[in-house]
Amino acid sequence: MTKAVKKACDACHRRKVKCDGISPCRACYTAQLSCTYNAIPQEKGPKGSPAKVLSELRETQRQTSLSAKVQNRLNGIPCATVNARINLTSGLLTTELIKSCVSFFFANLYPQLPILEQRQIEQQMMFMEQNRDAYLLMTSFCAFIMLQPGMTMPQGDPYNLDMNPGATIILSQLLLEECLRVHKGYSYHDSVNLNVLATNFFIFGCYYGLEQHEKAWYYLREAATMIHMAGMDKEGHYMKMDGAEATRRRRLFWLVLVIERAYA
């Protein structure tokens, strides 16, 4: 006979499902919810279908997690290192943020950094929640753009940073931390593509803008190494691809090569 649990966790109590009383409990682990025991028991729980309650819990915990990350950054506390296999941080890389960064990029930086195209970015946005390479590219790209002089917070500012000095820098650091967390979660060296190379370049740009030059040099050198691993220093590399892809790769190759020589 199963031993009765004196107190269910907050999520199980809210969902009205069986709780095993451990932390995290099996039900929360399966549903990918935070497992806490903070609520004061009530005689009657709130009404609602199980699916609706689960959706509400996930949204509440998403907002709480994002709010905590923003507050930690405001207080100068780095985000805690977490298991790279967990889900991407929902709500951090918003559509409004990406559109704002894309607009700034093509209005101000594209002539100097012609390594991304409008159509390419739109494609990345469609798949970034399912494709790590796309997510990393867009996260590093936005982190880089938020550091640029003249860049402002996206309209609506879901991060509630508008009133803080250096809001764009704080958001850039949040995005960079997210990018690095996911970046360490898989072996991107085994499949070097344009997204991977551009991500490394934007991470380099972030650290350069933050004046952390040793880290900047590391990611620039890594990008240069992967370029040579991919054979992009040989003309034959470009013969097997269409003109647009070959052009983007050539531009990235020369950009990294020139900056590496100047930075050394």
Side-chain angles (χ1 to χ4, degrees), residues 24-39:
C25 71
R26 186 180 300 275
C28 285
Y29 180 82
T30 302
Q32 296 183 331
L33 293 171
S34 296
C35 188
T36 59
Y37 291 81
N38 300 325

Side-chain angles (χ1 to χ4, degrees), residues 72-191:
N72 283 344
R73 173 49 61 189
L74 287 173
N75 294 332
I77 304 172
C79 294
T81 301
V82 293
N83 191 322
R85 292 181 179 275
I86 69 169
N87 292 335
L88 310 176
T89 302
S90 178
L92 181 60
L93 192 62
T94 65
T95 301
E96 292 76 13
L97 171 63
I98 296 175
K99 288 182 177 179
S100 180
C101 290
V102 169
S103 177
F104 184 92
F105 174 77
F106 284 104
N108 300 279
L109 299 177
Y110 181 77
Q112 294 79 35
L113 304 173
I115 58 175
L116 295 179
E117 301 295 338
Q118 186 81 38
R119 184 178 178 183
Q120 179 192 12
I121 294 176
E122 291 173 356
Q123 290 175 338
Q124 303 303 321
M125 289 176 64
M126 292 173 58
F127 300 105
M128 64 182 185
E129 292 189 1
Q130 294 81 33
N131 185 291
R132 282 180 184 250
D133 287 349
Y135 183 77
L136 287 169
L137 174 62
M138 299 315 303
T139 308
S140 62
F141 168 74
C142 289
F144 174 73
I145 297 299
M146 292 309 298
L147 281 177
Q148 303 307 308
M151 184 59 187
T152 58
M153 292 295 291
Q155 189 173 8
D157 183 22
Y159 318 98
N160 298 318
L161 291 172
D162 257 343
M163 302 304 294
N164 293 278
T168 56
I169 296 176
I170 294 171
L171 179 54
S172 174
Q173 291 172 324
L174 283 168
L175 291 164
L176 179 59
E177 287 175 353
E178 170 75 356
C179 178
L180 294 174
R181 177 181 68 79
V182 179
H183 202 246
K184 296 176 182 177
Y186 77 116
S187 181
Y188 53 90
H189 300 93
D190 295 337
S191 180

